[in-house]
Every structure is written in structure tokens, then in C-alpha cells.
Amino acid sequence: MRTPALRLGAGLATGIALAAGVLTATPAVAAVGDDDPTVGARVTTGPAAGLAINEVESNADDTDWVELVNTSSATIDLSGWRFLDSDSSHAAYVLPQGSTVAAGGYLVVDQETTTRPGFDFGLGGADAVRLYDTAGALTLRYAWSTHAAVTYGSCPDGSGTLVDTTASTKGKPNDCSSPVRINEVESQDGTPGDWVELTNVGTTTVDLGGYVLRDSEDDHAWTIPAGTTVAPGGFTVLDEARFDFGLGKADAVRLSDPRGVLVDSYSWTAHAATTYGRNPDGTGAFAETAEPTKGAANRFAGSVTAEAWPGGPDETVLDGEDTFTGDLSGLDWAPSATSADGQLWAVQNGDGLLYHLAPDGRGGWAPTNAAGVDLRYADGTGTPDAEGITVTADDPGAVYVSTERDNDVSKVSRPAVLRFATADGSESVLRATDEWNLAEDFPGLGANAGLEGVTWVPDAWLTSHGFVDQHTGAAYAPTAYPGHGEGLFLVGVEGTASVYAYALMDDGAFQRVATIATPFSLVAEVQFDPTLDALWVVCDEACSGRTALFDVQDGAFTLATLYEAPANADRGLANEGFAISGRCVDHARATFYADDNDTDGFSLRTGTYPCDASTEPGDGGTPAPGDGGTPAPGDGGTPAPGDGGTPSPGAGGGTPTPTPTAPGPTTPTTPTAPVAPDASSLTEGNRGSVSAPSVVRAGSSVTISVGAQYAGERVAVWLFSEPRLLGTPVVAADGTVTVVVPADAPAGQHRIVVTASDGTVLGWTAVTIDPATGALAFTGAELGGGIAAALLLLAAGTGVLVARRRRRPAVAQA
């Protein structure tokens, strides 16, 4: 993950701005920078007259980006212009040929992704964006001292002050409206009568006093009394008994703010059998719900709705102030021989440090190795961008770390799993004993878009739960992968927003066994939880702190539950690390969060998740390390073939480890693998019944429209020419499924085919897989052209030299 540029507090940054003679009106309004006080956010003269920085996304989205707007009456050509943040040590991004902004139009300068080139640095909490013309003259500059809660946007477009917007509107007019939305409507047989539910898509509580509710008739109007509020992401219900008019069979609901400006409206021509509600809440289109959910999140047939976090409402600080320096990322919990509360392993990505933490006896946690362990590659060089960490039951005395790149060579992708031999993190420096570099499985993956999280799942658990090997299309057979140890490693990849299961062999080879699509824009962490028989998949502030639980259904890890962040948690925390204790105390298990931003000087927080106190996973003698505290059968004592040199997964270290009593194995079930359709069944008659983007990229996710009539049904998705199963997802309420195109899929013409559970072809469509080294055609106003950018920089012979500001080097970004 990227780390915020300029690790300066908001107060310090504001002080610098004040010293330069610039006054920030409110914390939500960003200040013009100190080094170029005469340059604002827009150009008013010259060939780019009318060009303005219109919106800036530096936080809480899939990528960082800057939107430009042209308020003039003529097209503006920005080909060859250079884009930079506040750090002059970064290589400027050169806008490719054809980068034009039409009169009244928008152009987005975007960060690189797996499927699209772009600028390769992140925008931080205290940062700036600068645009230079082809002569190297600074023409646009915009600076801010803290992340916007949503985005910074000009209101009105191109001419107003940039303020925190209500909604992100990439490539579109800015949204500076009221964040209040009509979310659900009951017009018949409600309890106790008709009602209207409002929600708040903004970031601060809104006082609804003075807002006016109307139905389709203007004289049916009710002014909401002062003191009626709606919290961010919350729900406020207005009952018929209060507004004193009913809602009819063919009617409408309209909401105006105190100025008389229409905020939101919805109309219908017939009563809903249940209610009408937005999907998703606050932002989606209205549809008939599965059931009334008055004052709560809407539910729809065939889709998983985010539920309230079932544990405690808070995330409480655990570490002392400034214990960590920022960039704390991956976490893993394991039992401990010295503490009933267990132990934590953690990694820090920017400087590649490993920490071992224990309870401090005062309600907090602290590293047992205060300076951290300096991680290195096997040859003793490099700084692994350590993002995730896990320990395994079949290899005591070792930790496994997932990385995106070598921070000493920060522009090169190196998505790898590294093994380090340590029992307690007491070493000052550790070299990796093994490396599994997965780069060939992810061609084109951005250097800062690789492996965010890693976890380990025992083979015994996978086989007992009927897990299907997508590589073979049959029930998972551990013997098919000799030398891989006694389990699979699951890695979360930021750039593809998916999770992948791998067998890692002791000779450095690997085999992808499964691909798991997620509902998130990125994956920040993965954790296997044997207590729940489930896999946690975690998103950070890009998804407002949501987490998801996956269990094995029909042989595949499938989304079962989606959770909101705890009620009182700060949804803007960059919680890239997540772990959960295997010990149940007072009906709760501890959850742990690592904040990569080190907000307010703290990086480690805790919460709770409910559990059955009749069982205490992790209790007992000296359990072996393992995710969630439930070691797998066969733990310890049995060296793997090839022992004696460099330990490998399954090696066991040669030291017997007491094996806790585990529940007896369940009878394995052999799932029915989907049967690939014959090519002859793909006819012109069923072509086009499903749709997908015409051009896709190997290794990236793709959303396919199957049809709302199949909502809630499980389908199989295939890639032809040779039939290759991409997944067996459940069709969402909007009729779509999402799968990942294999990273090794050859470039060229293919067909995506969707079949029902009985093998019937539901439809197919033609797609083109772009070469991994090529760039997708530009779409909308978004910019690509990273390769072109590099060529243009070489042609220019030099970058832009401007005054350098204090900022963490690029290698510290993750």
C-alpha cells in the first residue's frame, strides 16, 4: 500500500503554510502551497487559459488521482506536460500524446494500476500536485495539509474554492450538495404506518432541522424540526405519524434543504411488495427490497449486504505513542507459552522491519524487540516491502512475509513470499531462507500493487471442507504438490483486489490453486480463522474499514458475510493489518488492527468479536504457532523430505512440538466439479446473452452481466478456446458476477462463457486479452501511458528540477 507523502502532522503543515503568508479558512479547505504562493489551482492566461485543478483524491479510493477541467471555449492540449506531487525526487509523470481537454470537459490524471499505467507515486495526507508545461514552467499547483474526508473539489467546477466534497465524482461535475439521501420508502402496511428512511453519505453528522419532506403534492409538506440529525452512514426514519400525510400507490417522496433546494427524490407507480430501497445504501438505484429494514441497512435478494459489526463498537489504542514510526502493515496472532493472551507478529513495510509483540501487563502491547528485525533478501541485500505476515503450524520457528517489491528498487514489481527463520524476533538482521517470487503469475502488476496480505490454511482443513483445486478442476489433493508442506498459502493482491491460493514447494516452485474474487476495490489483509472455519478478507480506508468472511461453498471460498467497521471506529484509519485472537474470554475474542498511517502517533488498535465462551481455542499447554491458535493435525516432529539444509514449508524445523488435541476429522465430501460446455454449444443464438468488457487484461478482475433473473443462483464462468474454469460465483442482485482472468491467459481473441449449475449455457461473449506489456485503450477522461511517459522522459533528457521539500523518500511508500 502507498504511505502518505510527507509524514508531517496537520498542525505542522498548517504552520508552514501560515509562515508563507497563507491562511487556511477551515480545516476542510486546502491551502495554496508555501513554495509557489503566486500559483493557484487554475491557469487564467496563456494557451491553457481556463484550465483548473478541479478535484483531488489522495485517500480512500482505489487509486489517487487529480481531475482537471477546462472552463474555456476551446480544446486544451496537454500532451507532454509533466505531473508531480510535492516531492521533487519523484520522477515526473509525462502526459502522453493525445492528452486533450475538450471545452467544458474533464481529464483525469490517474495513478498506475495493474490494468492501466499512470503516475507511480502516491498522494499523501500533507501533499501537493503540480503541473508543468512542455517548457518546464509551473502552471498549476494545489496543496493541502490533511486528507479530505472524501475528495477536495471546486464548487462550482473550475472557479470555486476547493472544499471537501459530498461524493467522489471522478471525471464528472463535482458534488457539493447535501449528503442526505432518501434510502428506503414504505408506502403500504408499514409499522406503524408509512415511513421514509434517510441516510447520510457524507462524513459529518447533518442537522435536518429546516429540511422539508413532500410527497407528489406540493401542499403536502412537513418541515423537519431542529435537533433531528442523521449520522455519517447512519439512518433516520420519518414516520407518517409525524409528517401527517400518507404515501400512495403511485406517489413520490421529495426532500429539500432549508434553502428550498431539492436534495433528493424518488417516485413509483405501484406499491412495493416489501419496500423500495437503494442498493447499495445511499448511493445505488432504488429497487424492491428483500424485506423492510426500517432504520437499518437495506437487504436485497441474491446480494450480500454489509452488516453492522457484531462485536464491540470501539477500536482502542494498544501501543504507546510513537512506538512505531509509521507503515505498520501486516499482523498475525499466535498462541504463546508465556501469555494466555497470545503473541503478535507484525511487519512494517517502508523499512522492512519485523516485530514480535507481547502484552505489556498494563492493558497494552509492546514489541519484545523495540528496534525491530531488519529483514533482507537471501543475499543480504535489499529492503523487502513487508506488507503481510503469517506463521504456520507445519513450520515452527519461522515466519512468512508477503512483499510487493524491494524498496531499494522501488519501481520494479517483486510480489513474493519470503521465509525467515526466527522463533521470537530477537535477531537484529535476518536474511530470507527461501523466496517464492510470483511475478510471472502477475505480468504487468504495478510495483506498488502487489502482495498485501498472506495467511496459511492447513491441507487437512481444506480437504475436510471439500475444497476444489481450480488448477486441476477436481477435489484438492495435497499429494499433487510434493514438497509444499502441509497447507496452502493465500495471498491478497492489492492491484487485482483478489485473493489467490498457492502451493509453495521446497525447491522454490509454486502453483496457483485457486483465485478468489472479493467485493472490495483492494485487498489489504487476509487471515484464516479456524475458530469460524472461515477466511477474513480485509479492506482499509478505501472501503471505509469493511471486512468480509468467506467460507467454502461448493468447493470454493465464497463470500458469506460482509461487515461494516465497528460503530465508533474511525473509518479513515489505514488499517492494513488485521488479526484475531484464537482465545475466547467473556464471550469475546480480541481483534487487532495495524494503522499504516500511524494516526496521532499510534499504529496498533484492538476491538472485539463475539465467541462462544464454552470453548477456549489456544488454551492448554504450549501450542504451536498457527493462525487463529488452532494448530493443524500433524504439527511438529515430522521433518519434510529434504530437511537438513535450508528449511522449507513443512520442514518442521526438526524440533518436536506438543500437539494440542484437535476435533476429530469430518468425513470429506467430494464436490461436483462444473462440467465444461462443448464448443459446439456456443451458438449465435446464445451469443450476447451475457456481456463483458471487450478488452480485458490477464491477471485482472472482470465484471460480467449475466442478468438479474439469475440473481442468487450459482453459475460457472469459463474462458475459451480451451475451456478453463474462472470461478463459480453467485449472481448478485444487479445480475453481475466478477471473476479474475488468469495471469497466464494468452493474449488474443477469447470467449467468456457462463453456464448454469446443470451445465446449460446461459450465454457467451467475445473478449480480447491485451498483451501484458501493452496499454489498454483510453476510456472516458482517464489517462494512461506510463510506457509513453518513460519514453518522453528519455527524449527530454531530464526531469523537472524544483525546490526540494522535506518528504519521506519514494522507497518508503507502500
Side-chain angles (χ1 to χ4, degrees):
M1 274 295 287
R2 59 186 184 274
T3 58
L6 283 176
R7 293 283 182 183
L8 298 175
L12 176 59
T14 302
I16 293 172
L18 290 172
V22 179
L23 179 64
T24 304
T26 71
V29 179
V32 173
D34 57 283
D35 57 347
D36 299 292
T38 61
V39 179
R42 57 189 56 85
V43 174
T44 56
T45 61
L51 185 69
I53 293 174
N54 197 54
E55 191 173 7
V56 176
E57 170 61 88
S58 65
N59 189 38
D61 198 3
D62 187 18
T63 59
D64 292 341
W65 48 266
V66 174
E67 175 191 272
L68 305 176
V69 65
N70 178 3
T71 62
S72 75
S73 59
T75 296
I76 299 175
D77 187 356
L78 300 179
S79 301
W81 286 44
R82 280 172 270 192
F83 174 84
L84 194 61
D85 62 354
S86 66
D87 189 344
S88 299
S89 69
H90 289 161
Y93 173 61
V94 180
L95 276 62
Q97 290 298 313
S99 299
T100 60
V101 196
Y106 304 87
L107 184 141
V108 175
V109 184
D110 212 334
Q111 194 176 26
E112 67 177 1
T113 69
T114 304
T115 57
R116 182 195 59 248
F119 60 87
D120 61 358
F121 45 82
L123 302 179
D127 209 343
V129 291
R130 297 179 282 179
L131 194 65
Y132 298 82
D133 64 19
T134 53
L138 180 65
T139 59
L140 291 175
R141 186 178 192 281
Y142 184 70
W144 58 95
S145 60
T146 186
H147 285 305
V150 183
T151 62
Y152 285 120
S154 175
C155 296
D157 282 23
S159 60
T161 301
L162 274 76
V163 299
D164 210 325
T165 61
T166 295
S168 175
T169 55
K170 188 176 185 179
K172 302 175 184 177
N174 291 338
D175 183 357
C176 301
S177 64
S178 166
V180 181
R181 298 289 183 268
I182 298 168
N183 195 58
E184 189 175 5
V185 177
E186 172 63 85
S187 63
Q188 179 180 240
D189 300 330
T191 303
D194 296 343
W195 48 266
V196 177
E197 178 189 85
L198 306 180
T199 192
N200 179 357
V201 299
T203 57
T204 59
T205 297
V206 174
D207 188 338
L208 297 171
Y211 279 67
V212 178
L213 181 74
R214 291 181 173 88
D215 63 2
S216 60
E217 300 181 38
D218 290 339
D219 60 347
H220 287 176
W222 177 63
T223 301
I224 302 175
T228 307
T229 62
V230 57
F235 305 98
T236 295
V237 176
L238 309 178
D239 282 300
E240 181 182 354
R242 301 181 70 192
F243 54 77
D244 200 28
F245 52 82
L247 302 178
K249 179 179 180 181
D251 209 339
V253 172
R254 296 176 290 167
L255 184 70
S256 301
D257 68 15
R259 300 168 298 169
V261 176
L262 183 66
V263 170
D264 199 11
S265 65
Y266 178 65
S267 61
W268 58 92
T269 58
H271 288 305
T274 52
T275 59
Y276 290 114
R278 289 190 183 274
N279 184 20
D281 291 283
T283 59
F286 277 92
E288 195 163 300
T289 63
E291 59 181 304
T293 54
K294 187 177 182 179
N298 295 335
R299 293 183 177 276
F300 297 88
S303 65
V304 177
T305 302
E307 300 179 3
W309 179 254
D314 301 309
E315 290 179 10
T316 306
V317 168
L318 280 178
D319 57 332
E321 189 170 2
D322 298 326
T323 298
F324 303 97
T325 58
D327 297 342
L328 196 69
S329 187
L331 291 175
D332 197 26
W333 181 92
S336 168
T338 58
S339 172
D341 291 325
Q343 58 186 322
L344 283 173
W345 290 96
V347 284
Q348 193 161 281
N349 56 59
D351 42 17
L353 293 179
L354 167 70
Y355 290 99
H356 176 265
L357 297 96
D360 63 9
R362 300 184 301 274
W365 286 63
T368 61
N369 52 347
V373 182
D374 188 8
L375 300 180
R376 296 288 167 181
Y377 289 98
D379 61 1
T381 67
T383 305
D385 184 51
E387 298 284 358
I389 185 168
T390 192
V391 292
T392 72
D394 68 347
D395 191 12
V399 298
Y400 292 81
V401 175
S402 59
T403 69
E404 292 186 319
R405 57 187 172 179
D406 176 357
N407 282 331
D408 293 353
V409 192
S410 63
K411 294 187 181 300
V412 178
S413 178
R414 191 170 177 175
V417 176
L418 304 174
R419 180 188 183 274
F420 296 94
T422 182
D424 55 10
S426 59
E427 301 82 1
S428 58
V429 179
L430 276 175
R431 295 188 181 190
T433 62
D434 300 84
E435 177 178 3
W436 294 267
N437 189 336
L438 309 180
E440 68 182 64
D441 253 15
F442 298 98
L445 186 67
N448 198 23
L451 309 190
E452 279 291 320
V454 62
T455 193
W456 183 83
V457 185
D459 284 341
W461 186 93
L462 292 166
T463 55
S464 69
H465 285 77
F467 181 63
V468 169
D469 184 338
Q470 293 177 6
H471 175 60
T472 64
Y476 172 59
T479 55
Y481 305 105
H484 82 284
E486 297 176 10
L488 298 181
F489 288 84
L490 273 62
V491 296
V493 178
E494 178 185 354
T496 66
S498 297
V499 177
Y500 305 85
Y502 279 94
L504 303 182
M505 271 64 82
D506 53 15
D507 60 357
F510 57 86
Q511 176 59 56
R512 185 186 295 182
V513 175
T515 298
I516 307 164
T518 79
F520 299 134
S521 57
L522 62 84
V523 173
E525 179 71 283
V526 288
Q527 282 287 320
F528 175 60
D529 189 340
T531 302
L532 296 179
D533 279 331
L535 173 73
W536 289 96
V537 178
V538 179
C539 190
D540 57 16
E541 78 277 15
C543 310
S544 299
R546 286 191 174 102
T547 54
L549 278 174
F550 286 70
D551 57 17
V552 174
Q553 301 175 23
D554 298 330
F557 278 101
T558 304
L559 177 61
T561 309
L562 184 63
Y563 287 127
E564 298 285 3
N568 297 337
D570 181 353
R571 298 185 181 195
L573 292 176
N575 286 336
E576 291 190 9
F578 173 83
I580 184 166
S581 170
R583 185 167 183 259
C584 185
V585 179
D586 295 331
H587 301 281
R589 290 195 288 156
T591 55
F592 302 93
Y593 306 87
D595 174 15
D596 178 70
N597 280 352
D598 196 43
T599 304
D600 299 326
F602 302 103
S603 293
L604 189 65
R605 292 172 174 82
T606 187
T608 59
Y609 185 84
C611 60
D612 180 0
S614 64
T615 57
E616 297 271 339
D619 275 357
T622 310
D627 281 357
T630 306
D635 182 20
T638 306
D643 235 3
T646 301
S648 61
T655 303
T657 305
T659 304
T661 302
T666 58
T667 302
T669 58
T670 303
T672 302
V675 177
D678 188 87
S680 62
S681 63
L682 310 182
T683 67
E684 286 302 315
N686 52 32
R687 178 176 184 173
S689 300
V690 302
S691 62
S694 59
V695 180
V696 298
R697 176 68 61 83
S700 64
S701 59
V702 58
T703 298
I704 304 160
S705 295
V706 182
Q709 67 270 31
Y710 299 110
E713 296 184 19
R714 186 173 298 279
V715 297
V717 182
W718 306 85
L719 183 68
F720 273 69
S721 309
E722 294 183 8
R724 186 168 182 179
L725 182 65
L726 303 187
T728 55
V730 174
V731 181
D734 62 357
T736 64
V737 295
T738 300
V739 294
V740 176
V741 179
D744 60 354
Q749 297 294 317
H750 295 265
R751 288 176 288 182
I752 287 181
V753 184
V754 181
T755 62
S757 56
D758 62 359
T760 303
V761 174
L762 301 181
W764 65 276
T765 186
V767 298
T768 299
I769 295 182
D770 233 34
T773 55
L776 296 180
F778 297 136
T779 58
E782 296 185 13
L783 284 182
I787 297 174
L791 294 174
L792 287 169
L793 280 173
L794 289 172
T798 183
V800 180
L801 181 62
V802 294
R804 184 172 181 178
R805 299 181 63 191
R806 288 175 293 175
R807 183 185 175 97
R808 178 162 296 207
V811 296
Q813 295 188 348

